[in-house]
């Protein structure tokens, strides 16, 4: 810690009594992580629904349902962290514009409602079929989902398509808003040197897209492997190229940010540099910026640029995706926990210890993180996700 | 049965959303605490609630009745602006209903309590008395074991 070079041989590592504990723990690491997966998956599904990227047709609905499954659990880590889940509704009661955090309830749930409506419009046809096939209680369930309209009018398909496209369209800025907002919450904390940068929302957003796309790739590979009906390699290739480009953009932003701070040599660099070279050396320098970034750029680059086909393409894609999913997770950790490691006196670092069984331990985090996958599985038992039975929202192409 | 119009489901969806919105607004109106102060953005009842909590810290005046001597010494000395309880712990842990119930906290075996405030640091005002081993002769030979209260009275620290 000599680097700090404070006058008068002052003691460093000075920790105020109310600063001994890293209060935003693993829960606050996985909260932006899951939120990011939602945004990323949604953007992927919009590639087809809005921009008409044909190759992504087979996964457009899958990504949408996955986005919803993650969305269901995005706020759960917060409830665990705050420790008073029975007061969940209070976040809606008295939000104020002077507190970005108090707006979260609205930003988040409006997005979830949008997702639900979009899925509803796209799957209405399926719901109607089910309502007509089912008997007994299940019939009532599907009947309610159809809002009592159990005949599918071919003309309504046209309106459904338009509406689904409209929703997907406004969904993109909304998803960006949701995740940009999460970055905003951190970027606007001016007391924490490692967080406070206007670039933070963009970094969060671009890494969200990366993690979402990478997660979708792995889920797609897994599901297709389980079904054993072959992979759509044309799409896989496009998938990999998209992921590669998204990550290059993301990485560029991350590198820009750190280069900027270091080049400026501002007052805060004196504490950020020893943070990155000290407590965050493994997770930031080696992990986030090193192996977990250069690895995927290389692996996905090879898969994108060279003439690699079939299984090899799939393996490379999964390897790259796995590294990226981890890269973003580590990045969330480096931001959330890393920022708090700087003691409030800006003279030294607080310790952070991983807990396992604690209320906010790794076990809880893992459990919460598994829930979206379980939810996806349950939903997929009820509605066909890959069979293309839902309405087709393919946009008209000009050429 | 008559075919529903191709837009009927949108009408119903709008209806559901409309009802949900009204329910939400109603719930919000009911659940916002009635004492909410929209001008200053806080729950009015919170003040009363806090006031109703049992007293833990009594302030220096609460010690006078039983420790007049200490108080006399203390209030003339340099430490007069300190709270007794910052060194001795909360009144509630020591006295209840006017009777002593437990020993007050008293750190007479370490130096951390004094150093907590007097450790020399650049961010402290220059005129604040700081423990330094350079300018004060009596401090120069001190080892880390020597207690501060061997030379300084905690209540009247001026040596």
């Amino acid at each position: 810690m000599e680097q700090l070079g404070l006058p008068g041989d002052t003691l460093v590592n000075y920790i105020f009594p109310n600063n001994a504990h890293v209060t935003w723990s693993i829960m606050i690491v996985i909260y932006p992580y899951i939120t990011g997966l939602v945004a990323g998956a949604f953007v992927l599904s919009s590639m087809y629904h809005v921009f008409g990227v044909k190759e992504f047709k087979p996964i457009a609905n899958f990504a949408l349902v996955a986005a919803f499954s993650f969305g269901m659990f995005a706020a759960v880590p917060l409830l665990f962290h705050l420790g008073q889940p029975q007061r969940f509704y209070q976040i809606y009661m008295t939000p104020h514009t002077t507190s970005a955090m108090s707006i979260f309830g609205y930003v988040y749930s409006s997005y979830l409602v949008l997702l639900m409506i979009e899925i509803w419009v796209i799957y209405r046809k399926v719901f109607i079929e089910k309502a007509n096939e089912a008997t007994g209680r299940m019939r009532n369930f599907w009947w309610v989902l159809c809002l009592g309209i159990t005949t599918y009018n071919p003309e309504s398909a046209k309106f459904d398509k338009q509406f689904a496209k409209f929703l997907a369209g406004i969904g993109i800025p909304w998803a960006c808003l949701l995740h940009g907002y999460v970055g905003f919450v951190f970027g606007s904390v001016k007391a924490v040197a490692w967080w406070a940068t206007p670039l933070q929302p963009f970094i969060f957003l671009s890494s969200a897209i990366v993690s979402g796309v990478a997660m979708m790739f792995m889920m797609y590979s897994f599901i297709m492997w389980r079904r054993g009906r072959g992979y759509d390699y044309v799409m896989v290739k496009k998938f990999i190229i998209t992921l590669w480009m998204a990550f290059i953009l993301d990485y560029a932003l991350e590198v820009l940010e750190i280069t900027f701070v270091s080049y400026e040599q501002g007052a805060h660099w004196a504490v950020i540099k020893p943070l990155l070279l000290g407590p965050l050396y493994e997770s930031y320098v080696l992990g986030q910026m090193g192996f977990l970034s250069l690895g995927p750029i290389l692996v996905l680059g090879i898969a994108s640029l060279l003439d690699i086909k079939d299984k090899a393409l799939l393996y490379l894609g999964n390897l790259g995706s796995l590294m990226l999913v981890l890269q973003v997770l580590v990045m969330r950790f480096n931001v959330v926990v890393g920022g708090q490691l700087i003691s409030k006196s800006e003279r030294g670092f607080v310790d952070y210890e991983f807990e396992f069984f604690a209320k906010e331990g790794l076990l809880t985090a893992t459990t919460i993180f598994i829930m979206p996958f379980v939810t996806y599985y349950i939903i997929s038992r009820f509605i066909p996700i890959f069979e293309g039975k839902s309405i087709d929202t393919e946009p008209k192409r000009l050429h | 049965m008559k075919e529903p119009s191709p837009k009927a489901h949108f009408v119903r969806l709008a209806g559901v959303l409309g009802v949900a919105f009204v329910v939400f607004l109603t719930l919000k109106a009911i659940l916002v605490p009635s004492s909410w102060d929209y001008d200053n953005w806080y729950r009015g009842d919170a003040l009363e609630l806090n006031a109703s909590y049992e007293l833990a810290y009594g302030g220096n005046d609460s010690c006078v009745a039983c420790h007049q001597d200490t108080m006399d010494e203390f209030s003339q000395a340099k430490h007069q602006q300190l709270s007794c309880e910052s060194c001795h712990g909360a009144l509630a842990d020591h006295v209840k209903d006017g009777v002593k119930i437990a020993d007050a906290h008293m750190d007479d075996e370490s130096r951390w309590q004094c150093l907590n405030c007097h450790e020399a640091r650049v961010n402290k005002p220059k005129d604040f008395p700081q423990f330094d081993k350079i300018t004060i002769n009596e401090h120069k030979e001190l080892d880390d074991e020597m207690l501060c209260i061997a030379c300084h009275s905690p209540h009247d620290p001026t040596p």
Side-chain angles (χ1 to χ4, degrees):
Chain A
M1 286 292 307
E2 285 73 32
Q3 302 98 313
L4 291 189
L6 288 168
D9 239 2
T10 331
L11 270 180
V12 283
N13 253 345
Y14 183 64
I15 297 165
F16 294 130
N18 64 352
N19 187 207
H21 182 68
V22 171
T23 26
W24 288 11
S25 65
I26 278 299
M27 288 299 136
I28 308 300
V29 173
I30 63 167
Y31 141 69
Y33 188 60
I34 298 182
T35 323
L37 294 174
V38 182
F42 186 86
V43 168
L44 186 66
S45 100
S46 301
M47 294 268 212
Y48 174 72
H49 288 314
V50 184
F51 301 115
V53 180
K54 264 219 167 67
E55 289 86 347
F56 287 140
K57 183 177 174 185
I59 54 155
N61 290 345
F62 153 69
L64 197 63
V65 173
F68 176 69
S69 311
F70 284 112
M72 296 270 286
F73 293 90
V76 172
L78 287 182
L79 293 181
F80 272 80
H81 170 71
L82 295 171
Q84 300 278 358
Q86 79 284 5
R87 296 191 192 159
F88 76 94
Y89 64 88
Q90 291 187 349
I91 194 166
Y92 297 106
M93 296 302 121
T94 50
H96 197 278
T97 47
T98 53
S99 158
M101 279 193 197
S102 74
I103 310 284
F104 177 74
Y106 286 89
V107 177
Y108 164 73
S109 16
S110 60
Y111 184 65
L112 208 61
V113 169
L114 182 134
L115 262 182
M116 288 200 295
I117 299 180
E118 185 170 359
I119 294 181
W120 182 77
V121 174
I122 289 181
Y123 277 100
R124 213 172 61 86
K125 191 172 155 210
V126 176
F127 298 158
I128 291 176
E129 277 169 22
K130 297 261 179 188
N132 290 328
E133 283 166 15
T135 50
R137 239 190 242 153
M138 278 318 280
R139 203 194 118 78
N140 296 341
F141 170 76
W142 293 114
W143 189 85
V144 170
L145 254 188
C146 300
L147 299 180
I149 298 186
T150 49
T151 49
Y152 193 70
N153 186 330
E155 224 187 304
S156 61
K158 204 177 79 207
F159 296 121
D160 282 355
K161 258 187 213 180
Q162 283 172 354
F163 191 52
K165 194 176 166 187
F166 166 73
L167 287 177
I170 57 170
I172 295 175
W174 216 309
C176 295
L177 190 81
L178 171 66
H179 211 71
Y181 159 89
V182 175
F184 183 93
V185 166
F186 288 98
S188 59
V189 180
K190 52 181 178 271
V192 178
W194 182 222
W195 290 347
T197 155
L199 217 53
Q200 205 68 279
F202 297 100
I203 296 181
F204 266 70
L205 188 57
S206 56
S207 57
I209 293 175
V210 168
S211 64
V213 174
M215 186 61 88
M216 289 307 105
F217 189 86
M218 289 166 61
M219 279 175 78
Y220 168 81
S221 312
F222 179 78
I223 294 169
M224 289 301 142
W225 171 68
R226 293 286 302 163
R227 303 169 134 221
R229 270 188 242 149
Y231 308 86
D232 178 348
Y233 285 114
V234 179
M235 193 230 359
V236 166
K237 184 94 179 180
K238 190 101 179 178
F239 220 139
I240 291 178
I241 296 176
T242 311
L243 182 57
W244 187 53
M245 293 196 311
F247 183 62
I248 289 179
L249 184 71
D250 174 35
Y251 191 55
L253 284 176
E254 285 176 26
V255 172
L256 258 182
E257 191 236 8
I258 192 69
T259 318
F260 210 91
V261 187
S262 114
Y263 181 75
E264 276 186 327
Q265 292 282 322
H268 290 316
W269 182 241
V271 67
I272 292 179
K273 185 179 168 195
L275 172 75
L276 302 183
L277 297 180
L280 290 191
Y281 186 73
E282 281 93 8
S283 60
Y284 183 81
V285 178
L286 297 184
Q288 185 187 334
M289 298 311 260
F291 295 116
L292 293 177
S293 286
L294 301 175
I297 288 184
L298 189 73
V299 169
L300 297 178
I302 292 174
S304 306
L305 301 177
L306 301 186
D307 187 22
I308 290 174
K309 286 203 179 72
D310 301 347
K311 277 277 150 69
L313 190 65
L314 198 72
Y315 292 148
L316 285 180
N318 272 298
L319 178 63
S321 297
L322 179 66
M323 286 194 274
L324 285 183
V325 166
L326 291 176
Q327 196 268 357
V328 178
L329 184 60
V330 178
M331 176 264 181
R332 304 288 191 249
F333 176 86
N334 288 338
V335 171
V336 175
V337 175
Q340 297 171 87
L341 291 185
I342 303 175
S343 76
K344 302 276 187 295
S345 64
E346 292 214 340
R347 300 251 191 104
F349 303 117
V350 182
D351 271 334
Y352 177 71
E353 273 173 39
F354 281 100
E355 296 167 305
F356 190 78
F357 287 113
K359 186 182 89 181
E360 297 190 41
L362 290 176
L363 183 66
T364 322
T366 320
T367 313
I368 295 178
F369 192 64
I370 289 174
M371 293 315 290
F373 298 97
V374 176
T375 309
Y376 174 85
Y377 178 78
I378 295 175
I379 296 180
S380 74
R381 294 298 91 183
F382 285 93
I383 56 177
I385 290 178
F386 283 100
E387 280 78 0
K389 278 204 186 148
S390 56
I391 60 154
D392 183 2
T393 61
E394 186 185 334
K396 294 237 169 359
R397 295 251 206 149
L398 292 175
H399 46 274
Chain B
M1 199 178 76
K2 210 176 103 256
E3 270 279 295
S5 105
K7 283 183 184 166
H9 58 292
F10 287 131
V11 177
R12 295 201 185 172
L13 178 68
V16 170
L17 290 178
V19 170
F21 190 60
V22 171
V23 169
F24 174 76
L25 288 184
T26 316
L27 280 177
K28 186 169 179 311
I30 296 171
L31 289 172
V32 170
S34 53
S35 69
W36 189 262
D37 178 341
Y38 280 96
D39 293 329
N40 301 305
W41 221 260
Y42 77 104
R43 188 167 57 90
D45 287 348
L47 299 181
E48 266 171 49
L49 179 71
N50 279 327
S52 72
Y53 289 139
E54 225 173 291
L55 192 75
Y57 291 90
N60 288 7
D61 291 345
S62 68
C63 314
V64 186
C66 308
H67 297 294
Q68 187 68 53
D69 297 353
T70 317
M71 205 59 192
D72 290 344
E73 182 194 9
F74 187 81
S75 53
Q76 303 301 319
K78 285 278 188 181
H79 268 172
Q80 55 178 275
Q81 35 182 327
L82 302 192
S83 155
C84 312
E85 288 158 307
S86 68
C87 293
H88 290 302
L91 174 73
D93 294 335
H94 173 49
V95 171
K96 197 175 177 191
D97 301 329
V99 190
K100 177 181 170 183
I101 50 163
D103 281 357
H105 175 77
M106 199 163 71
D107 185 356
D108 50 7
E109 280 166 12
S110 81
R111 354 187 321 161
W112 80 264
Q113 198 161 54
C114 311
L115 290 177
N116 213 14
C117 291
H118 287 290
E119 179 115 70
R121 294 201 187 293
V122 277
N123 63 348
K124 285 180 178 166
K126 287 277 166 293
D127 53 356
F128 183 80
Q130 305 183 30
F131 176 71
D132 74 76
K133 289 188 162 192
I134 302 158
T135 55
I136 295 174
N137 280 325
E138 286 81 354
H139 287 173
K140 277 182 187 158
E141 277 101 55
L142 288 187
D143 59 22
D144 288 349
E145 301 298 311
M146 184 76 171
L147 292 176
C148 315
I149 54 174
C151 301
H152 300 279
S153 152
H155 301 142
D156 182 4
T158 310

